[in-house]
Amino acid sequence: MKILHLDTNHSLLINQLTNLGFTNHENYIDSKEVIQKIIHEYDGFIIRSRFSIDKTFIDAAKNLKFIGRVGAGLENIDCNYAEKKGITLIAAPEGNRNAVGEHTLAMLLSLFNKLNKADKEVRDGKWLRENNRGLELDGKTVGLIGYGNMGKAFAKKLRGFDVKVLFYDIKPNIEDENATQVSLKTLQQEADVLSLHTPENASTIAMVDQSFINSFKKSFWLINTARGKSVVTKDLVSALKNNKILGAGLDVLEYEKSSFENLFNENNMPEPFQYLIEAENVLLSPHVAGWTIESKEKLAQTIVNKIKANFC
C-alpha cells in the first residue's frame, strides 16, 4: 500500500510504516489542487490540519482505503461522505489526552493563583502580595462538558484535589470513579468551574453564548482547551465585564482559523479580542494544550498502531 504524508510528524511514523511494508511518499509543499491530481495513486494519506478534505478531494482519491489524522478530531474531513465511500477514518485522541489534561489543570491553577499577573508585576519591579492573593481549588465543583478522551484525562488529574467533578455528555451512562454524570441543568446549577472538552460540530459551534452563560446559577471560571468556535467571544467578554465569568483560560480562539497574526493589524483587531489580550483574568495559549514533546510521539505511534491493526 502507498501512503502519502501531507504534514510533517514524528519520524517514527514513516520509519515504522516502512518497516511494516508500506511505501511512504512525502509532500509538504504542493497546494491542495496539485495534491488532488495525484491522490488517486495512493491507498491512504496522513494529514494534520493542512487543508480540509471535502467531497471533491475524496472523489479524486479513487483507490483510497484510509485517512489518518495525527490529532484528536476529524473536523477537517467530510467524515460522512468518506465513510459512505468505505474509507476508514483514523484519529489519535489517545495520543494527546494526557497533555490536554495537564494543560487544562495548569491553566485553572494559574488563573486561581493569578500567576500570569503576578509574574508580570514582579518583572516590572512590583511586589504586590495582597493584590495577588489567590483561590484554592479544594472545595470547588468542576463541571465538564464532554467526557471523551480529553474530559476523562482532566477528571483524572483532579483526583488529587478535594473537588466535586461533574460532567454532561450526550452519551448516557459513561461516568466512572473520577466524575459523576449529570444533566446540563444540574451542571449549570452547581459548577464553580466549567471546562470544555467537546468536538467541533453543529451542536457545539457558538454553544457558549449569552443565554448559555446566564443559565449558570453562580459566577464561574471558564477553561476552553477544545475548539475556539464553541465560545462566542463577544458574549464571553460581556460576562467577564459583569463578573458572571470570573476568569477564562483559552487555549483556542474563535479567530484562529483566519490568519491570527493579521489580527494585530490595527484595522483587523476585533474589539472583543482586544479586551481579552488586555484582561488580567484571562490566560491565553496558542492551541498547544495537546502539543507536548511526549504527545508528538504518542500521536504518531497511535496512528501507526491503528493502521497496523486495520491493514496488516
Side-chain angles (χ1 to χ4, degrees):
M1 292 175 68
K2 292 174 63 177
I3 301 174
L4 180 62
H5 297 258
L6 296 171
D7 286 293
T8 57
N9 290 293
H10 195 283
S11 57
L12 74 80
L13 185 59
I14 290 177
N15 291 341
Q16 290 191 22
L17 288 173
T18 298
N19 291 338
L20 288 168
F22 294 94
T23 299
N24 294 279
H25 293 169
E26 301 167 72
N27 190 321
Y28 309 136
I29 299 173
D30 285 337
S31 67
K32 179 180 177 180
E33 289 71 27
V34 171
I35 298 294
Q36 191 166 300
K37 292 178 181 178
I38 62 169
I39 197 63
H40 66 278
E41 300 174 12
Y42 294 92
D43 301 287
F45 67 85
I46 296 174
I47 194 169
R48 284 204 315 267
S49 302
R50 184 169 161 193
F51 49 70
S52 62
I53 308 302
D54 53 22
K55 291 180 180 179
T56 302
F57 191 91
I58 292 170
D59 283 338
K62 299 185 185 300
N63 295 307
L64 199 63
K65 297 174 180 63
F66 74 86
I67 300 171
R69 179 165 187 271
V70 186
L74 295 164
E75 300 94 78
N76 59 329
I77 301 169
D78 189 330
C79 295
N80 290 334
Y81 192 68
E83 288 172 346
K84 287 179 182 177
K85 291 274 191 173
I87 298 169
T88 299
L89 300 176
I90 300 171
E94 305 92 338
N96 63 356
R97 60 189 174 189
N98 183 72
V100 171
E102 290 190 5
H103 193 99
T104 307
L105 180 58
M107 282 193 134
L108 181 56
L109 293 176
S110 181
L111 286 168
F112 269 37
N113 291 283
K114 303 182 181 180
L115 293 182
N116 53 326
K117 173 179 177 292
D119 175 79
K120 183 177 185 301
E121 290 173 353
V122 172
R123 292 173 189 273
D124 290 339
K126 301 174 184 177
W127 196 258
L128 305 175
R129 296 183 68 208
E130 187 59 39
N131 288 349
N132 287 299
R133 191 180 288 274
L135 290 171
E136 295 181 16
L137 184 53
D138 277 20
K140 305 295 190 297
T141 297
V142 180
L144 318 180
I145 297 185
Y147 205 62
N149 282 282
M150 308 308 165
K152 289 178 180 177
F154 180 44
K156 184 178 179 181
K157 301 302 176 191
L158 291 168
R159 287 178 65 175
F161 297 86
D162 184 16
V163 294
K164 183 178 182 181
V165 183
L166 308 176
F167 74 88
Y168 168 73
D169 195 289
I170 58 173
K171 295 180 181 178
N173 305 316
I174 58 172
E175 68 178 58
D176 55 26
E177 68 276 12
N178 298 325
T180 302
Q181 188 164 12
V182 296
S183 67
L184 180 58
K185 183 177 181 181
T186 297
L187 186 146
Q188 291 174 322
Q189 286 289 308
E190 298 191 27
D192 299 295
V193 175
L194 173 65
S195 185
L196 303 181
H197 300 280
T198 48
E200 183 178 303
N201 55 41
S203 64
T204 63
I205 292 175
M207 174 179 67
V208 182
D209 59 9
Q210 184 178 23
S211 174
F212 179 92
I213 292 167
N214 290 336
S215 296
F216 280 74
K217 181 179 179 180
K218 297 182 277 188
S219 294
F220 64 96
W221 301 78
L222 174 68
I223 309 290
N224 187 11
T225 54
R227 292 293 181 260
K229 289 183 180 180
S230 293
V231 177
V232 179
T233 310
K234 65 179 180 63
D235 293 348
L236 166 61
V237 168
S238 295
L240 287 165
K241 288 179 177 178
N242 64 28
N243 290 319
K244 184 64 179 179
I245 292 180
L246 300 170
L250 307 173
D251 180 56
V252 289
L253 293 167
E254 180 181 355
Y255 312 105
E256 68 183 276
K257 288 299 182 183
S258 55
S259 180
F260 177 76
E261 289 79 5
N262 287 342
L263 293 175
F264 289 81
N265 180 302
E266 186 175 329
N267 297 322
N268 291 334
M269 178 70 75
E271 188 175 334
F273 184 58
Q274 182 69 49
Y275 180 90
L276 292 181
I277 63 175
E278 294 175 357
E280 292 182 334
N281 60 341
V282 174
L283 186 61
L284 303 168
S285 58
H287 204 149
V288 292
W291 204 256
T292 62
I293 301 297
E294 293 85 355
S295 72
K296 183 177 183 180
E297 181 174 347
K298 290 177 186 176
L299 286 164
Q301 189 64 62
T302 301
I303 294 295
V304 171
N305 293 345
K306 291 184 178 181
I307 292 174
K308 182 180 179 180
N310 281 279
F311 298 101
C312 287

